[in-house]
């Protein structure tokens, strides 16, 4: 894709000031030398962005998929509705009677009088009501914009109620929607509070030999279930998933794992870093989206645990599953080969899903994230060079110290020995090194830019979220939602890869989009003229 063309048709239509700002977030890719991209900066006022707010990142993304925490939104009901069950996070309670609060929307439903006279009393009443009705193990309280503006102290209210109950952990989040430039700030705030108030509370250790945490996997459409099943077949225990199908007990116990695996780097790398500092648990970046990526990630686990029996089990699963996937792919690939795609979603999904499109023989013309930072594009090596601006300073950085009683020097020694053999830990190369030369990388794409790109390159399919879906479809291009999967999925692991191949084949080969014509494109539009009425 030629940058000149993008410049001419897309960017230079902006006013000069906007052009200067947006041009820094739009780069032609060179995997050998990834350029510096502008990311995690405020969206320009007036531009229609894909982004969500800080509260949405904290409550909706990170805490939303936990089934036994009552998540109370302190704010107007609109904010609560916004973050209620929109991502299709699935869960599997232990029994019909076990706690599962995911289908509920808890809110203090703030009104004018609460804004004028304060809402803390109402919040405490709401916490009390939730406790009386459900007796949950934990209650989390989320601040919305009005709460920050009037100064309600959700932390003091939570502390008071926790002390009053004695058997229910109550903690708050200062995640007002305006707190950061996107939902990314909310992820960071959520990670901090879960780390501060929950992780490390339960030291019970099961006697399983291989114990890991899976971080940044949210069980959309059942992805987490597929990964659980794969791990079970290999004999690996997932102590805790942050936060798909998760429970407060699993979070409390997560510091007992021997390894952290990161799926979505942006939303959760903070937890892995903090756990390594405090407990000595090393972390690896993995990806279970795509057949090859899944096999590679499983083999990394075998390499880490250095156990012959485990390695043999992993290899047996890989052989068995890859044969099945290949049979399906051989049938589908002739239909999809040579088609094109664009992906603008999340941070990591726009990267991970390129694996599946590559397997289908499809080319990714352009991709980018809604809420990423430079390291998600260029790799973690750029972290020391990222300028910390006022928006990032707004988010609390926890000072983490080694827990002398619980820190595992053994795990750190293991990490050092494996590093000496060339195994890479605590690393992520970013999206750019894996995208084709000349493809386009765009951070925080605007609605206008999206329409221009589609107009110019007519991709066979566009991947984004619900806000873009219908506008893209009206342009005659199928859209696959990668936040909620459009009621499809799961797409993780081998089973998920086959589901994805089938769904994409169906979508890029349907003729329905070419049959739709706007009225003005068919010549049926009415002609009219102004008539002066005296
Ligand atoms: S930006 Fe503020 S008001 Fe809007 S949904 Fe987020 S928290 Fe609520």
């Amino acid at each position: 894709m030629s940058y000149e063309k993008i410049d001419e048709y897309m960017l230079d239509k902006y006013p000069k000031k906007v052009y200067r700002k947006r041009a820094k977030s739009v780069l032609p890719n060179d995997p050998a030398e990834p350029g510096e991209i502008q990311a995690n900066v405020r969206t320009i006022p007036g531009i229609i962005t894909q982004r969500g707010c800080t509260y949405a990142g904290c409550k909706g993304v990170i805490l939303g998929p936990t089934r036994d925490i009552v998540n109370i939104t302190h704010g107007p009901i609109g904010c609560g509705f916004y973050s209620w069950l929109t991502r299709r996070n699935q869960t599997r309670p232990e029994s019909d009677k076990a706690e599962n609060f995911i289908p509920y929307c808890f809110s203090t439903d703030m009104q004018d009088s609460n804004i004028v006279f304060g809402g803390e009393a109402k919040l405490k009443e709401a916490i009390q009501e939730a406790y009386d009705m459900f007796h949950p193990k934990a209650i989390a309280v989320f601040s919305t914009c009005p709460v920050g503006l009037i100064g309600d102290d959700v932390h003091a209210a939570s502390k008071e109620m926790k002390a009053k109950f004695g058997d229910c952990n109550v903690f708050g989040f200062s995640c007002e929607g305006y707190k950061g430039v996107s939902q990314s700030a909310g992820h960071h705030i959520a990670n901090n509070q879960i780390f501060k108030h929950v992780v490390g509370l339960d030291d019970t250790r099961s006697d399983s030999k291989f114990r890991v945490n899976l971080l940044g996997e949210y069980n959309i459409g059942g992805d987490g279930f597929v990964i659980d099943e794969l791990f079970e077949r290999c004999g690996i225990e997932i102590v805790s998933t942050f936060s798909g199908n998760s429970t407060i007990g699993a979070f409390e116990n997560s510091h007992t794992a021997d390894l952290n695996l990161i799926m979505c780097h942006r939303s959760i790398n903070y937890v892995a870093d903090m756990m390594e500092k405090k407990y000595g648990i090393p972390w690896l970046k993995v990806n279970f989206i795509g057949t090859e990526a899944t096999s590679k990630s499983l083999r990394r686990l075998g390499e880490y645990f250095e156990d012959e029996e485990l390695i043999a089990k992993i290899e047996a699963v890989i052989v068995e599953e890859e044969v099945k996937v290949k049979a399906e792919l051989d049938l589908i690939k002739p239909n999809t080969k040579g088609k094109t795609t664009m992906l603008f979603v999340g941070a990591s999904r726009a990267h991970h899903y390129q694996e599946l499109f590559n397997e289908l023989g499809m080319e990714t013309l352009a991709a980018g994230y809604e809420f990423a930072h430079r390291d998600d594009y260029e790799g973690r090596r750029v972290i020391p060079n990222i300028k910390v601006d006022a928006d990032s300073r707004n988010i609390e950085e926890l000072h983490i110290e080694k827990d002398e009683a619980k820190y595992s020097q053994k795990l750190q020694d293991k990490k050092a020995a494996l590093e000496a053999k060339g195994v890479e830990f605590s690393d992520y190369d970013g999206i750019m090194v894996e995208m084709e030369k000349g493809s386009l990388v765009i951070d925080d794409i605007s609605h206008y830019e999206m329409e221009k790109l589609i107009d110019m390159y007519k991709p066979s399919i566009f991947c984004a979220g619900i806000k873009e879906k219908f506008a893209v479809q009206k342009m005659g291009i199928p859209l696959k939602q990668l936040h909620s999967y459009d009621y499809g999925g799961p797409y993780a692991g081998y089973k998920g890869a086959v589901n994805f191949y089938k769904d994409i084949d169906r979508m890029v080969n349907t003729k329905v989009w070419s049959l739709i014509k706007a009225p003005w494109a068919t010549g049926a539009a009415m002609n009219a003229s102004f008539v002066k009425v005296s």
Side-chain angles (χ1 to χ4, degrees):
M1 183 175 287
S2 113
Y3 185 73
E4 287 68 35
K5 202 168 171 188
I6 298 297
D7 205 39
E8 187 186 335
Y9 288 99
M10 193 170 89
L11 295 175
D12 78 352
K13 301 290 183 288
Y14 280 134
K16 271 204 180 79
K17 204 170 156 191
V18 177
Y19 174 93
R20 275 202 305 275
K21 288 189 173 172
R22 283 304 299 150
K24 291 182 200 157
S25 291
V26 180
L27 286 188
N29 191 44
D30 182 352
E33 278 181 66
E36 181 178 327
I37 191 162
Q38 174 182 261
N40 195 36
V41 295
R42 292 181 190 190
T43 300
I44 298 164
I47 276 184
I48 304 177
T49 173
Q50 295 186 296
R51 288 173 166 175
C53 69
T54 300
Y55 155 76
C58 185
K59 194 272 175 190
V61 177
I62 307 287
L63 270 297
T66 54
R67 70 166 169 268
D68 58 359
I69 301 179
V70 167
N71 291 318
I72 300 180
T73 295
H74 186 30
I77 196 64
C79 306
F81 184 83
Y82 179 56
S83 61
W84 176 35
L85 260 192
T86 52
R87 293 203 342 137
R88 294 188 62 234
N89 309 104
Q90 297 188 7
T91 196
R92 232 174 233 163
E94 298 79 4
S95 70
D96 289 350
K97 298 216 166 47
E99 289 165 325
N100 177 15
F101 304 122
I102 289 183
Y104 296 95
C105 177
F106 298 92
S107 168
T108 51
D109 186 21
M110 283 177 105
Q111 303 292 320
D112 284 7
S113 59
N114 308 124
I115 302 294
V116 175
F117 300 109
E120 270 181 46
K122 193 172 193 189
L123 171 62
K124 285 186 227 165
E125 268 174 45
I127 297 173
Q128 183 70 54
E129 194 181 332
Y131 179 79
D132 292 342
M133 282 178 85
F134 299 105
H135 291 283
K137 298 181 193 88
I139 297 176
V141 178
F142 301 87
S143 307
T144 55
C145 295
V147 170
L149 294 173
I150 64 173
D152 276 359
D153 189 341
V154 300
H155 305 287
S158 302
K159 205 170 157 192
E160 186 187 319
M161 299 309 279
K162 180 179 171 175
K164 184 179 175 195
F165 301 147
D167 62 351
C168 174
N169 193 353
V170 188
F171 46 92
F173 296 82
S174 291
C175 57
E176 293 84 349
Y178 55 74
K179 202 92 188 227
V181 301
S182 70
Q183 57 265 59
S184 166
H187 306 149
H188 196 163
I189 293 164
N191 291 172
N192 283 352
Q193 294 298 84
I194 285 290
F195 194 77
K196 230 161 60 175
H197 294 278
V198 183
V199 171
L201 294 181
D202 174 12
D203 295 331
T204 317
R205 211 190 135 88
S206 69
D207 36 358
S208 145
K209 258 166 94 184
F210 315 112
R211 307 175 81 251
V212 302
N213 291 318
L214 186 56
L215 311 183
E217 161 45 52
Y218 300 104
N219 201 22
I220 312 285
D223 278 351
F225 298 148
V226 175
I227 302 173
D228 285 350
E229 190 197 317
L230 262 182
F231 277 40
E232 212 178 298
R233 282 168 66 192
C234 297
I236 300 163
E237 183 193 350
I238 299 181
V239 179
S240 173
T241 302
F242 285 65
S243 328
N245 189 31
S246 59
T247 61
I248 184 92
F251 289 159
E252 288 171 347
N253 189 233
S254 57
H255 64 296
T256 65
D258 295 325
L259 179 67
N260 279 328
L261 303 172
I262 293 193
M263 279 279 280
C264 174
H265 174 259
R266 179 72 272 138
S267 62
I268 207 132
N269 73 86
Y270 315 98
V271 166
D273 273 340
M274 291 190 285
M275 275 185 154
E276 179 150 16
K277 278 193 195 118
K278 190 165 178 179
Y279 304 110
I281 307 170
W283 67 264
L284 290 172
K285 173 77 181 76
V286 291
N287 174 21
F288 292 101
I289 301 295
T291 303
E292 285 172 31
T294 300
S295 300
K296 193 172 152 197
S297 297
L298 287 176
R299 286 193 172 112
R300 293 197 81 187
L301 279 166
E303 190 177 42
Y304 176 77
F305 285 110
E306 298 176 295
D307 181 279
E308 289 309 320
E309 202 183 321
L310 174 68
I311 292 169
K313 270 191 190 165
I314 287 174
E315 288 305 324
V317 168
I318 290 174
V319 169
E320 188 187 332
E321 293 300 320
E322 283 191 352
V323 169
K324 285 193 257 175
V325 174
K326 189 177 177 308
E328 298 281 354
L329 192 57
D330 285 347
L331 293 174
I332 291 170
K333 197 168 172 178
N335 306 337
T336 52
K337 197 170 184 317
K339 306 264 184 203
T340 56
T341 183
M342 293 179 172
L343 302 93
F344 291 96
V345 60
S348 287
R349 286 184 189 266
H351 181 183
H352 292 164
Y353 277 82
Q354 290 187 40
E355 298 265 356
L356 284 167
F357 283 116
N358 287 341
E359 287 165 12
L360 286 166
M362 292 175 64
E363 185 190 354
T364 300
L365 301 173
Y369 301 133
E370 288 172 55
F371 54 79
H373 299 199
R374 275 184 60 200
D375 40 314
D376 302 294
Y377 289 100
E378 302 168 55
R380 285 180 70 91
R381 68 191 165 279
V382 302
I383 290 176
N385 308 327
I386 296 178
K387 201 174 125 222
V388 182
D389 59 15
D391 287 314
S392 305
R393 275 200 198 98
N394 219 2
I395 314 300
E396 183 188 20
E397 274 299 334
L398 298 186
H399 177 71
I400 307 295
E401 283 182 4
K402 200 184 207 182
D403 182 327
E404 295 296 347
K406 298 180 184 175
Y407 188 86
S408 172
Q409 190 55 48
K410 205 171 112 201
L411 291 178
Q412 282 298 301
D413 293 344
K414 179 179 184 56
K415 175 184 170 185
L418 285 165
E419 275 179 327
K421 290 188 201 167
V423 179
E424 285 181 357
F425 287 89
S426 321
D427 203 18
Y428 176 49
D429 289 335
I431 190 174
M432 286 165 130
V433 293
E434 291 196 0
M435 285 179 65
E436 290 294 317
K437 189 174 165 78
S439 57
L440 207 66
V441 184
I442 306 178
D443 182 66
D444 185 23
I445 193 170
S446 71
H447 194 100
Y448 166 79
E449 290 161 15
M450 179 188 83
E451 286 191 10
K452 282 294 190 186
L453 275 185
I454 292 175
D455 217 21
M456 280 185 283
Y457 297 99
K458 304 264 180 309
S460 314
I461 192 163
F462 196 92
C463 301
I466 189 67
K467 282 187 267 183
E468 296 76 39
K469 184 177 174 79
F470 301 107
V472 171
Q473 289 184 168
K474 282 175 190 166
M475 295 179 81
I477 304 289
L479 184 140
K480 180 72 197 162
Q481 284 197 76
L482 288 185
H483 293 295
S484 72
Y485 299 168
D486 288 303
Y487 305 96
Y491 294 138
Y494 305 103
K495 190 171 139 196
V498 172
N499 288 339
F500 193 79
Y501 301 154
K502 288 181 180 167
D503 284 353
I504 297 302
D505 178 20
R506 181 177 51 76
M507 291 179 82
V508 298
N509 288 307
T510 176
K511 292 204 171 17
V512 70
W513 305 112
S514 62
L515 299 175
I516 296 172
K517 289 269 181 293
W520 56 87
T522 61
M526 275 196 310
N527 286 323
S529 57
F530 284 105
V531 178
K532 195 175 172 197
V533 181
S534 55

